Amino acid sequence: MNFTIEVPAEANPLTDQTLFHVLQSASSNNQQQVKSGAQQLQNWEKSPGFYSSLQSLLLNNSLPFEVRYLSVIQLKNGIDKYWRKTAANAIQKDEKDLIRSRSLESGINEPDRRLALQISIVIAKVTRYEYPHDWPDVLDSVLEQLQPSMGISPNSLPLSRTLLILLYIIKELSTAKLQRSRASLQSAAPNVVKVAGNIYVERVKTWMTFLTTGRCDEGGALESIEISLLALQILRRLIISGYNFPNRHAEIQGIWRILVSHFGQMLALVHGSSSLVGNNARDFIEKHLIQISKLHVNMVQTHPAGYALLPDSTGLAKAYWGLARQFGETLGSQTPTPSAKLGSDGDAGNDEGTSTKEKLTLKGLLLIRGCLKMVFNPAQTFKYQKDEDREERKTSKEIMGSDLLSGEFAREVMETLVTRFFVFTARDLKEWEEEPDEWEKTQEGGGSDWEFSVRCCSEKLFLDLMINYKDMLMQPLLTVFRNVATVQNTEVLLKDSIYAAIGLAAPVLERNLEFDFGFFLNNTLVQEVQIPHSGYNILRRRAAVILGQWLPVKEGLNRPLVYQIFQHLLDRDDQLNDQVVRVTAGRQLKNVVDPFEFAAEPFMPYVPNILGRLMVLIQEVELPDTKMALLNTISVIVTKMEQHISPFADQIISLLPPLWDQAGEEYLMKQSILGILSALATSMQAESRRYHPLIIPLIQSSIEPSSESRVYLLEDALELWSTVLVQTASPASSEIVSLVQYLFPMFEVASETLRKALEITELYIYLIPSEFLASAALIFNPFGLLLGSVKPEASGTVTSLVELLIRSADRLGGVSAVGDLTQSMLSFNLLSPLLYGLHNAYLAHQTTGPNRTKPSIDGIIETDYLNICARVAVASPSLFVSALDATIASSMPSGNLPSGKPIEWLLTEWFSHMDNIGHPAHKKLSCLALTSFLETGQPWILSRLQSLMTVWTDVVTELVVDASLEEGKVDYRDSLVYNDRNAHKPDGPEAPADERRRVLDFENPVHRIDVRVFIREKLAVAVEKCGGMEAFQTEWVQNVDEDVVTAFGALGVV
């Protein structure tokens, strides 16, 4: 019976029997049963006893394989989720103890290889969490199972399974980052190395004896070769991760010598003709060779000094180079086949996949690169180094420099790389023809892919040699180049390899006075790309690559000629311009137009043809990665052409909708399309508005909360949305306005898109201020939650937007509109957190000495909060005071803010904070706000006249300058006041958003009000409300310090 009805965990109690039926359903071929079973398993995930029950079913060998396999997979996933003590619904301790107690036995005795592998992973994951504190004896228990007596047991299954468990434990522990875990592994490493090393040596002796002499049992030899491989894998990882200085340990030196010896013997067996070495044994021996070579490479990369100081390290590197050189001699001819098609010479068909010789060659190249890095570019470390450590590093460099990396060796390697490894093989040419998309992509060698390709690794090694031995290698390279680089020379493959070297060495050669790349370009390369003979498509591809390498580093080249070459290489009608040539040209064109010295005007005549051919090529290729690379080239062209791209915009836009539809769920492709649209909008500025009918639906479909593509495209869609708003002229279309509704869900504290959403909000406030003021409630509610809960940078953006809304309200509707906006701020709880933060700062600043407390907001945020207060106060002081009282009254039931007159403590904090306001505009704004309170005539401001005069003196002294150009005359002016609306207008094109910002900034009170005049006017109002100057002097001025009055009077304000 199978459960097909999904029920809650409580309604379907967990027992071994019910669990068995659910697992059977989840592993059946019936999709409905699979779905219901998977849901029930998910319901049980957090139930006590679930994972120990899974293990119980796993231990039952009589159950179907599918049920047991699903059990171990569920157990493995549960350990990832719930084994940590800090995890929600973590597995209980008694259940963990039960799982641990049965793990090793289940893994050691499991006959099925697939289940044994998964059980080993489960044990390793548990060990990662539990060792050494909660499961301190796990390694000892495993090592006990690896006793010498087991080695001669007729049943080798327990030994094989135990080694598999140990291998995965070491793999898990070696990836641990915590020092505690690494130290535990290092303390156990010597014992593990001793046991695994003995097993390895004994088993290798067994199967090697059989393969060389025919003695011993063939079946036993094959079992031994599998076991020795497991032991070797353990040793490889443990030697690297289990020791900080492996060269200092005798057991590692001994194992190292044995492995070096075995490496040579195994190579001889693989390359020999013994009939005893069958295909199965050969495969295992080759796996041994690969593991040993990985150890050598990992050692030189992780412990470079240790590698150099281990026995026969330089001899080993030379042996690897010997292997590489032998492999290089087999890499095809230097003349392409005369057949009409590339790659049809027959040789390529004999090479299926990557041979062991090629893999070992790759390891050899990586090893030599590691040795070069050790000598010329050693890794820097912040760890404390003892004298012994420093001496070892010094000695290792000397050994490598003198015994291996001589000038003669470097020249030999360079010559072999160029003449052998850079030359295309028959397999390369066949793949070029049969799988052009895939082959072209592999030749890019970007990222870390170069570590897995002989050709790409050869290029990296060549560049290392040229950089570090340039004085020695440059002349031989140029000599060969001059002999080969003639139009009359028809050895295409040789020329391609030499040109490849010249391209790679561009950063080194560009300053060499003996080499003139411009001459080569004008007299040789331009002719060779036009030769119509068979095989010359190889040189055409190389021409694109070499130009992409030289243009970014060499100035003064004939760029129009380069553009003509690329235009020619992208021509589909030329038969030699096959897909590889054209795709390579399309990729490399990005590097040609991207440099800083690129100018749009010389490129203009070639744009129509180049863009048209790129678009045809995008439709032709099939790989999404290739399409994206070509789209990236178009994007760079659009960006670099700036406004000059406008005549060709329709041509580009016509390509995008079909590509979007074809992309389907290839979201990286859609990201590239959004990037091109963003670049077009930026370059075309206001002219891009005609493309809004295409752009806006794409933005909407990418940002809708219900959209499946939102998670992939949101970031790029927001960037495009922002760009569109920057370039949108007023008035905004209804389609632009309709997107506003999607902004508000993004105002979440944990949202990764918050910064961009706030930036877009600012652009909208400038674009449609009336609409935003009408829907201010939708903004203030989330803004109130953001204040105090985000980083200072984001908090500053939020307060700046509130300021912008207040300024917009004042501009559009005066005090009445500011009053409505302030009421919305009060109703939707925006003022309460703001005043709470200021009051908390006030209380903190009243404490001193050891009992001093730290405010909940820092000085920058306090300034931002005071700026909002200042904006309202400058618009209407009485409105601000009323809003302040109303906020306190509404907060009294919750006890967040104190009763009484809030203006008293707020002014005390405001005046004390003035010295901490660094930005002149912000300081002036606060000065205007505090001064405007004088018009109320209230004692709470007049009693602070001394503080006011101090602020006035400070601000006027800082801002007012003498603008007179005539000697003997003075003309004091506020330096922040703008007198000309167009004073800050740029000389070039101005984006509509920048214009709107400039216009509103011109009307900012900070830039319209002269602070001296404002102080004079507000003082006059205060004097009048006090009953005249005499009463004002008697009641208020006489309480001000005489020096303060004198300093203020010297300003000549009144």
Side-chain angles (χ1 to χ4, degrees), residues 29-250:
N29 294 325
N30 186 302
Q31 289 302 313
Q32 181 61 32
Q33 291 183 8
V34 170
K35 182 178 179 181
S36 63
Q39 182 59 52
Q40 183 59 63
L41 290 172
Q42 187 175 349
N43 292 339
W44 277 334
E45 270 187 358
K46 301 172 185 177
S47 301
F50 175 60
Y51 294 103
S52 57
S53 297
L54 285 171
Q55 189 185 39
S56 298
L57 296 183
L58 172 64
L59 293 172
N60 190 342
N61 291 343
S62 64
L63 297 181
F65 167 80
E66 292 77 12
V67 171
R68 298 181 66 210
Y69 192 79
L70 186 55
S71 296
V72 74
I73 295 298
Q74 289 287 322
L75 178 58
K76 181 178 69 173
N77 294 340
I79 290 171
D80 285 334
K81 288 182 181 179
Y82 303 114
W83 196 275
R84 284 189 180 90
K85 296 176 182 178
T86 56
N89 305 293
I91 301 172
Q92 297 300 312
K93 184 178 185 303
D94 55 348
E95 187 175 2
K96 287 182 178 179
D97 293 340
L98 179 59
I99 292 172
R100 281 201 308 265
S101 66
R102 301 187 295 184
S103 294
L104 288 178
E105 183 181 355
S106 66
I108 291 171
N109 297 315
E110 177 55 54
D112 190 284
R113 184 187 296 269
R114 295 163 295 179
L115 290 173
L117 174 62
Q118 296 301 324
I119 293 172
S120 299
I121 295 173
V122 166
I123 296 171
K125 287 182 178 292
V126 173
T127 305
R128 174 76 175 266
Y129 293 125
E130 302 285 274
Y131 180 77
H133 293 292
D134 297 314
W135 201 4
D137 61 341
V138 57
L139 286 175
D140 292 336
S141 300
V142 173
L143 293 179
E144 284 178 10
Q145 302 295 325
L146 298 174
Q147 295 303 318
S149 59
M150 183 175 287
I152 59 175
S153 170
N155 182 12
S156 64
L157 179 66
L159 175 59
S160 176
R161 296 293 184 257
T162 307
L163 286 171
L164 186 64
I165 292 170
L166 182 58
L167 171 62
Y168 276 91
I169 288 176
I170 299 301
K171 285 176 81 170
E172 276 290 337
L173 294 180
S174 64
T175 59
K177 300 298 181 184
L178 293 178
Q179 183 59 34
R180 182 195 69 187
S181 301
R182 299 185 68 84
S184 301
L185 175 63
Q186 290 171 3
S187 65
N191 286 337
V192 180
V193 166
K194 180 180 178 182
V195 173
N198 287 336
I199 294 173
Y200 169 78
V201 171
E202 177 187 342
R203 293 295 174 152
V204 169
K205 182 180 178 181
T206 299
W207 61 258
M208 202 171 277
T209 300
F210 170 76
L211 294 177
T212 53
T213 66
R215 294 196 298 269
C216 300
D217 173 49
E218 181 177 358
L222 289 176
E223 286 182 354
S224 292
I225 201 169
E226 292 186 40
I227 290 172
S228 66
L229 180 60
L230 285 171
L232 178 57
Q233 290 173 309
I234 293 169
L235 290 170
R236 175 173 74 83
R237 287 174 171 81
L238 199 55
I239 290 172
I240 299 301
S241 301
Y243 296 86
N244 285 328
F245 303 96
N247 57 289
R248 299 179 187 175
H249 297 264

Side-chain angles (χ1 to χ4, degrees), residues 488-500:
Q488 294 74 26
N489 186 347
T490 59
E491 293 182 88
V492 172
L493 292 180
L494 177 60
K495 292 176 77 170
D496 177 79
S497 65
I498 302 299
Y499 290 0

Side-chain angles (χ1 to χ4, degrees), residues 698-763:
L698 294 183
I699 296 175
Q700 181 176 340
S701 67
S702 303
I703 63 175
E704 285 177 326
S706 60
S707 171
E708 294 181 0
S709 61
R710 187 177 191 269
V711 66
Y712 306 103
L713 302 179
L714 181 59
E715 185 176 345
D716 296 274
L718 289 178
E719 189 65 42
L720 175 58
W721 190 2
S722 173
T723 304
V724 167
L725 290 176
V726 168
Q727 302 300 340
T728 297
S730 301
S733 65
S734 58
E735 292 81 6
I736 288 285
V737 177
S738 68
L739 292 177
V740 174
Q741 59 182 308
Y742 302 109
L743 264 181
F744 305 125
M746 297 181 194
F747 297 141
E748 301 172 5
V749 176
S751 172
E752 296 180 358
T753 57
L754 176 61
R755 182 189 62 80
K756 203 66 184 179
L758 293 174
E759 179 184 317
I760 291 172
T761 303
E762 179 186 22
L763 293 169

Side-chain angles (χ1 to χ4, degrees), residues 434-445:
E434 295 179 351
E435 297 289 341
D437 262 18
E438 290 285 355
W439 184 85
E440 189 276 335
K441 180 186 171 186
T442 61
Q443 297 305 303
E444 283 299 297

